[in-house]
Amino acid sequence: MSDLTNLTATAGGATRVADVENELNTLWTQIAEEDSKHPLLRATTLNLVLFTEDANSVTTLIGQLSETHPCRAIVIETGTAQDVQPDSLVAVPTLFCRPSLGAEVRKQVCCEEIVLRVGRDASDRVPGAVQGLLLSDLPAYIFWQGDVSISNVLLKSLGEVTDGWIVDSATFDESTGLTNLVWFLDTPHWHGSVYDLNWQRLLFWRGAVAQSFDSPQDRPALKTIRDVEVAHHDAPIQALLFVGWLASRLDWQLVPGNQPNVWTNNNGLMVRILSVAEGGPGLRSVNITAEPHVYSIDLADEDQFIHTTNGRARAFQLPEENTGTLIGAIIDTAGRDVVFEAALAEAAGLSDPDMTGVLSWKSGLVVAENAVAFAHLAARYFLLASQQAIKQHGLFTVALSGGSTPKALYSLLAQPPYRDQVEWTKVHVFWGDERNVPIDHPDSCQRMAHETLLDKVPIPPANIHGIATGTLSAEDAATRYAEEIRSFFKLQNDDLPVFDLILLGLGEDGHTASLFPHSPALSADDTQLFVANPVEKLNTTRLTLTAGVINNANTVMFLVSGASKAAILHVLLEEPPSPDDFPSQRIHPSHGTLLIVADRDAASKLQSAY
Ligand code: 6PG
């Protein structure tokens, strides 16, 4: 492998895109002059956006990739750059050149690397800066390592300006990582394709299985498979993807077996994933029993060959692989990989039994088969949003909803595993709306939340931002709460708060929070934040966040359950907007994610396939 650093030039750094291009041109000239005997060939085949805590760790990857796919690498340093002004963003370009192949030794610019150093308060400017640096006539991919989250605003906004997104599921959390990826792919605005290095690592294993059953005498055996055993070393997610692939192609309809990593179906098929100690990381063997044969595929360590033995031995040599070559292989096969996406959805269901009741993730609408899966879905989104927020800015601000639907969610959050996974000491709870009744009144949203959740989790009392209801007039209670919000979020002038998550119910009349049809709050000034809202049909005055505050959240999650909500959910999602008649239609987060978690009954009147 060539030494990338034998000719490298780095500029001091620029804060404007035009300056970056000028610095790159200067670097080209500088390198060309350093060795005028060899013409400089500029070859860039793609844009690659990478995230890293440490830009130096990326050089190896770029070197590997540039063997076959010279690229413009835009590297976003995710840690806050200490030596950069809080509100600024500095781009540091570097050129890596290496001797090109072939008789006449010519240098080839094999990689332009632009490291973006981001000040503490400048992260929201990253998508625009990246877009300005992309070479417009080349494909653009994001390479993301580690878990993804539905609330990752930066990733979502970059997803809108790139062609594809490359992950490595080997770096995911074993039980929830695949589900998070599936959910992320179905949040709105995501139009790119997703590729997985771990799936690419399975290419030869999938080929070996396909060829084992390819002959006319073996093909019928596919229908008589009784037992499958997949052994891996330190690659559980790769094994899950492999089983997910088999299950999706052969429509096995697997359900959890009687012990971990065992699945079965109603035809008595048994599927097991085993972890073995010997050999390198990855799949080690696959044994498929289909009377009268056992199709064995195993990786011999000494020669890195996959041997298949089902009466006719075959061998497949595994290529030398590294992150760069895997990314290159993915780029060469670009185009939506529906086989992968089907295997991924199956594998997510296998790895995350709580999610087995989930019927679909489509464009932000997630439909659960039953009340249990519905509550788990909502709890998982709550957990994910909290993890993302705490990782991004050290705390999680959530506005709770009232009504009866959220009770199942709150009760689940109050018990393991969610109770122990949420960092309650960093959670700040508000309410999206309330009735102006004392907190011990049966109708109080605050009372319901305390009884089902807040009195059962270790959240500091100071983190519970209650509304002074029952003693003040509705107007005074609303004004005081608006002040509480303004002070907590340190709002200036007409700023709106950015809640990390706002939970919403959906009334059968189309109201949400306490934004009722044709009620005064619909025309309130959003900067009032929280207002008293007389509701004639209820003969009462409610208290509610304004629609503008709700739309300014990072994630808004509707919880819609039961057949009684089927008609209004159809209106919300499939009828032309009439927001005064159906105020829930006003909810379109301006920069965040809209999620609608429903159960099968509530989704029963939707015309569009979900
Ligand atoms: C409230 C809620 C309200 C509720 C809907 C749906 O305080 O009542 O904020 O908007 O979410 O009326 O109520 P259910 O969940 O009981 O159907």
Side-chain angles (χ1 to χ4, degrees):
M1 209 280 287
S2 71
D3 166 11
L4 252 184
T5 55
N6 62 359
L7 267 176
T8 301
T10 295
T15 54
R16 291 182 326 117
V17 172
D19 296 343
V20 176
E21 296 300 345
N22 291 337
E23 288 200 350
L24 277 169
N25 286 320
T26 305
L27 293 174
W28 289 329
T29 310
Q30 176 189 329
I31 280 201
E33 284 164 358
E34 265 180 28
D35 183 348
S36 54
K37 289 196 301 299
H38 300 95
L40 196 60
L41 172 70
R42 182 184 167 199
T44 306
T45 60
L46 75 136
N47 299 285
L48 186 66
V49 181
L50 305 105
F51 297 80
T52 178
E53 302 273 340
D54 164 22
N56 299 323
S57 68
V58 168
T59 306
T60 307
L61 163 59
I62 294 175
Q64 292 164 347
L65 182 60
S66 67
E67 292 290 319
T68 53
H69 295 77
C71 66
R72 168 171 283 194
I74 300 169
V75 182
I76 300 165
E77 275 194 340
T78 49
T80 303
Q82 301 309 322
D83 53 348
V84 172
Q85 288 302 317
D87 63 349
S88 70
L89 221 160
V90 177
V92 180
T94 300
L95 279 192
F96 296 100
C97 299
R98 66 170 174 76
S100 59
L101 306 177
E104 184 198 350
V105 177
R106 289 177 305 168
K107 262 188 245 35
Q108 179 189 5
V109 172
C110 50
C111 173
E112 300 169 337
E113 180 197 56
I114 302 169
V115 176
L116 283 185
R117 325 223 36 243
V118 186
R120 184 182 60 240
D121 305 329
S123 55
D124 57 344
R125 292 169 42 207
V126 169
V130 168
Q131 193 161 4
L133 292 170
L134 294 175
L135 294 170
S136 56
D137 52 345
L138 292 177
Y141 292 85
I142 302 174
F143 178 45
W144 179 271
Q145 290 180 291
D147 260 12
V148 296
S149 163
I150 46 155
S151 301
N152 191 310
V153 180
L154 174 57
L155 206 47
K156 270 216 313 304
S157 48
L158 282 176
E160 292 169 27
V161 298
T162 50
D163 302 286
W165 184 39
I166 301 171
V167 299
D168 186 354
S169 62
T171 62
F172 285 4
D173 173 286
E174 187 178 340
S175 61
T176 59
L178 291 173
T179 309
N180 300 346
L181 177 58
V182 176
W183 289 357
F184 191 95
L185 299 186
D186 281 305
T187 48
H189 314 312
W190 174 263
H191 64 274
S193 298
V194 68
Y195 309 92
D196 178 8
L197 299 192
N198 228 6
W199 175 252
Q200 193 63 32
R201 292 185 188 107
L202 287 173
L203 184 66
F204 286 82
W205 286 92
R206 287 185 283 126
V209 169
Q211 292 209 24
S212 301
F213 289 91
D214 193 34
S215 64
Q217 64 265 41
D218 290 307
R219 212 165 299 159
L222 285 172
K223 298 211 181 306
T224 64
I225 293 176
R226 288 257 118 344
D227 190 283
V228 178
E229 180 188 89
V230 177
H232 71 89
H233 176 58
D234 198 21
I237 293 181
Q238 198 177 119
L240 276 167
L241 277 175
F242 184 79
V243 170
W245 170 65
L246 289 172
S248 61
R249 305 304 284 165
L250 299 171
D251 194 23
W252 282 346
Q253 305 289 324
L254 294 176
V255 294
N258 53 10
Q259 51 188 301
N261 294 318
V262 173
W263 295 271
T264 183
N265 68 7
N266 53 19
N267 291 330
L269 168 68
M270 290 300 284
V271 179
R272 272 184 305 282
I273 291 182
L274 304 179
S275 170
V276 296
E278 59 277 357
L283 289 199
R284 302 304 304 174
S285 68
V286 175
N287 288 297
I288 299 173
T289 306
E291 305 306 337
H293 286 308
V294 176
Y295 295 80
S296 292
I297 304 168
D298 65 325
L299 178 58
D301 223 15
E302 59 281 5
D303 60 7
Q304 284 296 301
F305 270 73
I306 299 178
H307 297 271
T308 71
T309 48
N310 57 326
R312 282 174 304 291
R314 286 194 181 85
F316 301 79
Q317 179 159 21
L318 289 180
E320 190 63 31
E321 273 176 355
N322 58 47
T323 304
T325 57
L326 287 168
I327 291 177
I330 284 171
I331 288 161
D332 288 342
T333 58
R336 194 177 183 112
D337 186 344
V338 289
V339 174
F340 163 62
E341 291 187 18
L344 170 67
E346 283 287 337
L350 298 176
S351 63
D352 213 346
D354 291 341
M355 297 302 132
T356 46
V358 183
L359 292 172
S360 159
W361 296 269
K362 283 287 170 268
S363 65
L365 168 67
V366 192
V367 180
E369 166 73 35
N370 52 48
V372 173
F374 172 79
H376 274 284
L377 266 175
R380 177 60 57 72
Y381 276 128
F382 184 101
L383 172 63
L384 275 175
S386 73
Q387 291 170 333
Q388 182 66 29
I390 290 166
K391 182 176 175 188
Q392 262 176 354
H393 51 86
L395 55 91
F396 174 56
T397 54
V398 55
L400 300 180
S401 167
S404 55
T405 305
K407 289 179 182 173
L409 162 63
Y410 299 163
S411 302
L412 207 51
L413 289 172
Q415 54 190 287
Y418 300 103
R419 182 195 63 196
D420 308 326
Q421 291 172 327
V422 176
E423 285 187 82
W424 294 104
T425 57
K426 296 176 181 172
V427 176
H428 283 264
V429 163
F430 296 78
W431 273 269
D433 73 310
E434 180 54 295
R435 300 82 187 272
N436 191 28
V437 295
I439 191 167
D440 58 359
H441 188 284
D443 289 351
S444 165
C445 298
Q446 296 172 87
R447 171 177 164 176
M448 184 272 277
H450 274 279
E451 287 174 347
T452 54
L453 174 61
L454 300 177
D455 295 349
K456 301 176 176 176
V457 294
I459 182 170
N463 289 19
I464 300 173
H465 303 267
I467 308 171
T469 52
T471 50
L472 304 172
S473 71
E475 289 70 17
D476 290 349
T479 302
R480 180 179 295 193
Y481 202 55
E483 277 317 306
E484 165 91 6
I485 293 171
R486 213 166 266 119
S487 137
F488 177 82
F489 285 94
K490 300 184 178 60
L491 301 182
Q492 306 289 329
N493 313 320
D494 289 345
D495 291 349
L496 298 180
V498 181
F499 282 93
D500 293 305
L501 175 65
I502 294 183
L503 300 178
L504 293 177
L506 180 62
E508 292 177 40
D509 62 356
H511 81 265
T512 190
S514 283
L515 299 169
F516 282 81
H518 306 290
S519 62
L522 300 188
S523 47
D525 172 357
D526 285 330
T527 60
Q528 290 178 273
L529 309 186
F530 198 79
V531 297
N533 190 27
V535 183
E536 259 180 57
K537 77 172 194 178
L538 299 179
N539 189 28
T540 184
T541 296
R542 288 280 192 94
L543 308 171
T544 185
L545 287 175
T546 58
V549 170
I550 297 171
N551 284 327
N552 204 43
N554 278 334
T555 302
V556 177
M557 177 157 75
F558 274 100
L559 300 173
V560 190
S561 167
S564 67
K565 302 293 175 72
I568 191 60
L569 187 58
H570 161 67
V571 169
L572 176 61
L573 292 178
E574 298 175 325
E575 289 297 327
S578 176
D580 284 347
D581 297 321
F582 307 108
S584 48
Q585 288 180 331
R586 283 167 176 257
I587 305 307
H588 292 289
S590 53
H591 59 83
T593 298
L594 175 65
L595 286 170
I596 297 159
V597 180
D599 61 14
R600 182 197 278 269
D601 291 341
S604 57
K605 288 196 164 71
L606 293 183
Q607 259 98 55
S608 58
Y610 52 74

